[in-house]
Amino acid sequence: MNTDTLYYSAPAKYWMETLPLGNGSLGAMADSGAEKETFVLNHDTLWTGRPRSVTKPGAAAAFRKARALALQGKYRAAEKVMERDFNAIWSQAYLTFGTLTLDFDFGDAADYERRLDLSKGVLTSGFTAKGKAVTKKAFVSYPDGIMAYRVAAEAPFACKISVACPLQSRTYPKNGLLLTDGVCPADGDTANPDYPCASLIYDEKNGVPFRGALRAQTDGTLRFTNDSILVSGAKALTLYFTIQTGFNGFDKDPATEGKEYKNKALNVLGAAANKGWEALLAEHTKDHASLYGRVTLELGDGKDLPTDERLRRFAEAKDDMGLYALLFNYGRYLAIAASRPGSRAMNLQGIWNNTVRAPWNANYTININTQMNYWPVLPCAMPELTEPLTELVKSLAVTGEKTAEHFYGARGFAAHHNADIWGHSEPVHGSVSWAYFPGGGGWLARHLYEYYEYTLDEAFLRETAFPILRKAARFYLDILTEDTDGTLMLCPGTSPENRFRRGPVTTPMAKSSAMFNSIVLDVFTCCLKAGKALGVEDELQTEIAEAAKRIKPLKIGRDGRLLEWNEELSEVEPHHRHVSHLYALHPAGLIDPRRDTALTEACKQTLYRRGDDGTGWSLAWKVNFWARLLDGDHALKLIDRQLRLIPAGGTETNYVRGGGTYPNMLDAHPPFQIDGNFGVTAGICEMLLQSDGAHIYLLPALPKAWANGCVKGLAAKGNVTVDMAWENGKLASYEIHGDLGKMTVVDCTC
Ligand code: FUC
């Protein structure tokens, strides 16, 4: 189906034409070359660094000083103090494993095609060479922990199989396998304030150790060289590949407390080979489909053309309705491939990275990007895929205790702009416009509450979400500051990553910001709701309830927009990609467009002035904003912009209006950054269904252009799923699966 398959008539030439496979931990991007075929390989625990604790002497005093200066309106001075005496060190970096390459002797290929079947998680390619057919198939299995690959040809072929790893490593043959043993850098030069950090600091005794292991089976002959396998006289070749590492959790030194990984690699390959191709494939497709098959979306016909061609056409004609469904389905596919129980949370590139120095280190950026990665997972009825995010938040709630204490003199936990697999929670180097972001922990904590809202899993709420939310709340209670009007605010405040002009200077730091205060109120609100659900009434809950009433309310400026900072200030970039001051609208849901007329109008004015362009993730966030504002046509305008084809060969970083979609349908910031894929999938959910635990709104933001369609299996808060169909813009039928309880279903099309 053209809504479930990426299809191309030529092999990938550029990285952003290659296609992703993954099982949460092991990732592969395939170019499906006919004569020379390359897989870029990744493992989600290949990061620089190891557990550490970062301090910055005098940081808490600097925070207090900056706060006093901000209270006096000395914003630039406050910024300088924070930048010099508060900001600390970069987080660690996500790495690449390298490549697996097959050099064949097929000769020129004709009738070429490659397809990624999203519903099965299987990549195929086929062509003819000298008139003989060749077919290739690859998948990455979650149940068996391997990548499996098979090539079959009508005529015998020869090929060279080699593995190249840019990390400190050695590739060598042993007992019929090709092994790559290595170690990740012990540090990514994180103390160096320059960005991007230039060096990787190796220290043989430290860093994540790893093994890549490859096994080949053929009806021809295999011969091993020092670092490759030579295949000859084969009509079939099967490869099994795995990566195992010594990573043993955010708080365990992989050198001294690491997991056994070398034998594990051998055992995983042995078990796969015993099982055999057919059984592995059957189990993989069953496992993949058990997640992917939960939701289906139909919006109309799609074009049976190569995907890149469809994207190219789309710029002129918006008649390929199937392309919207394909984009939606791809977001679900990518989550299944990159986030599974036991894996790390998805980073800026999910799990797919082809360099040792990825853009922004492919880390966790938690002032929007990591959170956006997880927006579609619950509405698309895949709650188990949130586990890696929960684990990340749990790690930050531990390391962040020290961060709260050391950097603020506060209790609870704090996390800032960047995180990594070691639970980095401290402020990074650079401008306070990003580095000073005490909202990181709170924003992530809301995801745990959302998990409960969707699943009604009370044990999770009691044991995991509630304690972490209260820890986030404790931190905010300790640092909230009383303003002259008696309201409470998080002071100083920034609005990531915008700056404003004040007289001759520009600065990002004000007395407070809409976003910071909204995050605090959001955490308090989640805590109070959770406490109510669990029947917990204690001193902390009372303190939270009292403080919640006093949080500085959002203000509307003279021009009708929501104020970004505490006073009317003109921003340096009026079209800035972040729209952080609308946090209360989305994700928090503290502004209700069905009730809060003035604030709703102010949100609209804010978005109009911010404009309809931006980076990939910025476009995706705006889809969600407009859906929450119940304007489906405007949301669709943003999706159409996101479907703008961005050339795969481009390398520039564009912070302003470069967002779009690469030929492989991955999101262009640019460069590649995966959050936009997830953000737009979530946005489509929001257009079709919204819920708050009391109401289920059907088709709240249906665009006129999506007049006919149907969706099955979308999840609503309250542990139910919804099937519905609509015709001529009107709801035609619906069915709720699960216990509706006291929830009301609202048809938003009448
Ligand atoms: C934030 C954004 C950038 C980029 C980076 C990874 O800093 O402002 O646009 O997405 O994260």
Side-chain angles (χ1 to χ4, degrees):
M1 273 281 281
N2 55 32
T3 54
D4 294 291
T5 304
L6 301 191
Y7 149 57
Y8 303 84
S9 55
K13 270 207 222 99
Y14 297 101
W15 164 240
M16 277 301 108
E17 290 174 346
T18 63
L19 295 173
L21 297 169
N23 66 5
S25 296
L26 182 63
M29 289 280 275
D31 68 2
S32 298
E35 180 82 343
K36 177 172 178 168
E37 182 167 20
T38 302
F39 292 88
V40 171
L41 301 165
N42 287 105
H43 192 272
D44 65 341
T45 62
L46 293 178
W47 284 69
T48 60
R50 55 199 170 116
R52 67 176 178 187
S53 165
V54 176
T55 52
K56 172 110 176 185
F63 171 70
R64 286 192 294 272
K65 191 164 168 198
R67 178 159 66 179
L69 287 165
L71 283 169
Q72 294 162 37
K74 296 179 178 160
Y75 299 152
R76 178 79 178 123
E79 178 196 3
K80 278 190 183 153
V81 168
M82 292 290 274
E83 201 162 307
R84 192 185 58 222
D85 299 331
F86 183 82
N87 291 356
I89 195 165
W90 299 119
S91 68
Q92 297 291 353
Y94 182 56
L95 300 160
T96 186
F97 173 84
T99 52
L100 165 66
T101 303
L102 294 103
D103 283 289
F104 294 98
D105 67 345
F106 290 127
D108 288 345
D111 307 321
Y112 177 94
E113 65 163 46
R114 60 187 171 113
R115 286 174 190 272
L116 175 61
D117 182 339
L118 305 181
S119 68
K120 297 196 172 84
V122 176
L123 175 72
T124 52
S125 60
F127 54 92
T128 54
K130 297 179 198 118
K132 303 285 184 195
V134 179
T135 55
K136 297 173 178 177
K137 210 174 242 196
F139 61 93
V140 177
S141 156
Y142 177 69
D144 289 286
I146 43 115
M147 178 175 100
Y149 166 88
R150 170 168 271 195
V151 49
E154 281 177 354
F157 64 87
C159 86
K160 177 180 176 188
I161 308 166
S162 39
V163 171
C165 173
L167 305 173
Q168 206 167 78
S169 62
R170 184 167 83 95
T171 296
Y172 60 102
K174 193 175 171 188
N175 299 338
L177 305 176
L178 194 63
L179 302 180
T180 303
D181 288 340
V183 64
C184 296
D187 181 41
D189 201 16
T190 52
N192 181 351
D194 292 344
Y195 179 83
C197 313
S199 12
L200 294 170
I201 300 170
Y202 281 100
D203 160 1
E204 297 228 336
K205 292 201 210 72
N206 289 303
V208 178
F210 61 86
R211 167 170 280 182
L214 177 73
R215 180 172 180 139
Q217 292 175 335
T218 179
D219 57 351
T221 53
L222 293 179
R223 191 159 65 79
F224 285 83
T225 72
N226 277 345
D227 58 359
S228 67
I229 306 175
L230 302 177
V231 183
S232 55
K235 285 173 99 176
L237 169 69
T238 307
L239 301 184
Y240 300 122
F241 176 78
T242 191
I243 300 172
Q244 302 293 330
T245 81
F247 178 80
N248 196 17
F250 76 98
D251 54 353
K252 302 270 187 313
D253 191 325
T256 52
E257 307 163 277
K259 259 203 319 221
E260 199 293 316
Y261 64 98
K262 286 190 168 170
N263 286 328
K264 174 95 191 275
L266 306 184
N267 295 339
V268 165
L269 279 194
N274 283 343
K275 216 176 233 184
W277 173 268
E278 294 302 336
L280 289 166
L281 178 61
E283 242 172 89
H284 162 70
T285 43
K286 188 169 159 220
D287 161 72
H288 181 87
S290 73
L291 290 157
Y292 187 87
R294 289 181 195 173
V295 172
T296 56
L297 172 66
E298 282 173 38
L299 293 172
D301 290 342
K303 302 284 169 204
D304 285 320
L305 291 168
T307 307
D308 44 353
E309 189 51 38
R310 290 172 76 180
L311 285 164
R312 216 165 285 125
R313 273 187 84 258
F314 196 76
E316 279 109 51
K318 306 268 173 296
D319 57 352
D320 188 347
M321 302 308 285
L323 199 54
Y324 297 116
L326 182 63
L327 185 66
F328 173 77
N329 288 335
Y330 200 34
R332 299 188 304 115
Y333 169 84
L334 292 169
I336 297 167
S339 188
R340 291 293 196 107
S343 76
R344 302 302 96 209
M346 294 182 280
N347 61 49
L348 289 171
Q349 296 182 190
I351 46 172
W352 299 283
N353 170 24
N354 64 342
T355 59
V356 287
R357 271 294 176 205
W360 298 285
N361 290 324
N363 61 12
Y364 300 119
T365 298
I366 59 175
N367 67 5
I368 175 69
N369 318 90
T370 305
Q371 288 90 340
M372 183 179 279
N373 283 355
Y374 282 88
W375 287 351
V377 171
L378 290 165
C380 289
M382 304 187 290
E384 58 271 67
L385 304 193
T386 61
E387 193 240 41
L389 182 72
T390 303
E391 289 303 312
L392 174 68
V393 184
K394 276 159 89 175
S395 73
L396 295 172
V398 173
T399 59
E401 264 184 44
K402 175 132 188 256
T403 301
E405 204 227 305
H406 179 79
F407 287 83
Y408 297 88
R411 294 167 290 175
F413 91 97
H416 293 82
H417 173 239
N418 293 119
D420 57 26
I421 58 166
W422 313 109
H424 180 96
S425 53
E426 300 88 354
V428 292
H429 292 293
S431 164
V432 297
S433 75
W434 62 73
Y436 168 62
F437 185 60
W443 188 346
L444 283 172
R446 91 165 329 277
H447 280 252
L448 306 190
Y449 185 66
E450 250 179 55
Y451 179 89
Y452 165 73
E453 286 184 298
Y454 274 91
T455 61
L456 300 182
D457 180 344
E458 207 175 294
F460 177 84
L461 183 66
R462 192 181 327 107
E463 284 147 35
T464 306
F466 192 47
I468 290 178
L469 277 162
R470 288 191 4 139
K471 249 173 130 173
R474 179 72 267 162
F475 168 63
Y476 294 135
L477 286 168
D478 279 6
I479 64 165
L480 281 176
T481 304
E482 192 175 272
D483 201 357
T484 42
D485 60 3
T487 58
L488 294 175
M489 62 189 173
L490 208 167
C491 170
T494 65
S495 190
E497 301 176 18
N498 211 355
R499 304 174 74 81
F500 56 84
R501 242 180 266 287
R502 214 179 186 223
V505 297
T506 74
T507 175
M509 187 159 264
K511 193 159 75 170
S512 71
S513 63
M515 180 191 234
F516 280 17
N517 296 333
S518 297
I519 291 178
V520 174
L521 183 59
D522 184 30
V523 167
F524 287 176
T525 307
C526 292
C527 272
L528 295 173
K529 287 190 200 160
K532 204 165 159 212
L534 294 168
V536 176
E537 289 172 24
D538 62 10
E539 240 174 75
L540 181 56
Q541 290 299 105
T542 310
E543 204 184 326
I544 292 169
E546 290 306 314
K549 287 185 220 144
R550 294 177 57 202
I551 298 294
K552 188 177 278 302
L554 295 168
K555 281 198 206 128
I556 300 170
R558 279 193 304 269
D559 59 8
R561 289 182 296 160
L562 211 60
L563 282 195
E564 193 160 354
W565 295 275
N566 51 288
E567 57 186 288
E568 305 248 4
L569 295 160
S570 69
E571 61 274 58
V572 174
E573 279 183 67
H575 303 301
H576 198 276
R577 62 196 178 283
H578 287 261
V579 199
S580 308
H581 39 326
L582 263 52
Y583 180 93
L585 173 70
H586 181 278
L590 294 168
I591 296 174
D592 181 353
R594 296 167 184 91
R595 224 182 36 218
D596 308 323
T597 337
L599 284 174
T600 300
E601 188 50 36
C603 289
K604 287 186 185 166
Q605 291 307 323
T606 305
L607 285 169
Y608 290 138
R609 290 283 291 274
R610 217 54 158 202
D612 287 333
D613 217 328
T615 59
W617 63 257
S618 176
L619 298 174
W621 199 358
K622 288 169 191 163
V623 174
N624 287 269
F625 285 136
W626 283 111
R628 284 272 169 102
L629 290 166
L630 312 178
D631 188 338
D633 288 335
H634 210 131
L636 185 61
K637 197 169 159 190
L638 271 304
I639 298 179
D640 286 348
R641 196 148 284 185
Q642 203 167 339
L643 279 167
R644 167 169 71 184
L645 179 64
I646 305 296
T651 50
E652 95 288 15
T653 300
N654 190 330
Y655 282 97
V656 187
R657 54 175 68 91
T661 296
Y662 288 114
N664 60 4
M665 297 277 297
L666 286 174
D667 173 68
H669 176 290
F672 163 44
Q673 199 174 289
I674 205 162
D675 42 15
N677 284 101
F678 298 120
V680 73
T681 297
I684 292 172
C685 294
E686 289 277 341
M687 290 158 78
L688 301 176
L689 188 152
Q690 293 174 22
S691 58
D692 59 12
H695 309 89
I696 298 177
Y697 298 102
L698 304 183
L699 304 175
L702 187 68
K704 281 187 211 77
W706 292 359
N708 301 301
C710 69
V711 68
K712 284 192 179 145
L714 275 192
K717 291 177 181 174
N719 197 23
V720 297
T721 59
V722 179
D723 299 346
M724 58 183 156
W726 59 96
E727 282 162 24
N728 300 320
K730 300 280 176 217
L731 184 69
S733 63
Y734 74 89
E735 201 177 330
I736 309 281
H737 302 274
D739 180 6
L740 198 53
K742 292 194 185 116
M743 290 189 288
T744 315
V745 179
V746 183
D747 170 4
C748 303
T749 64
C750 55

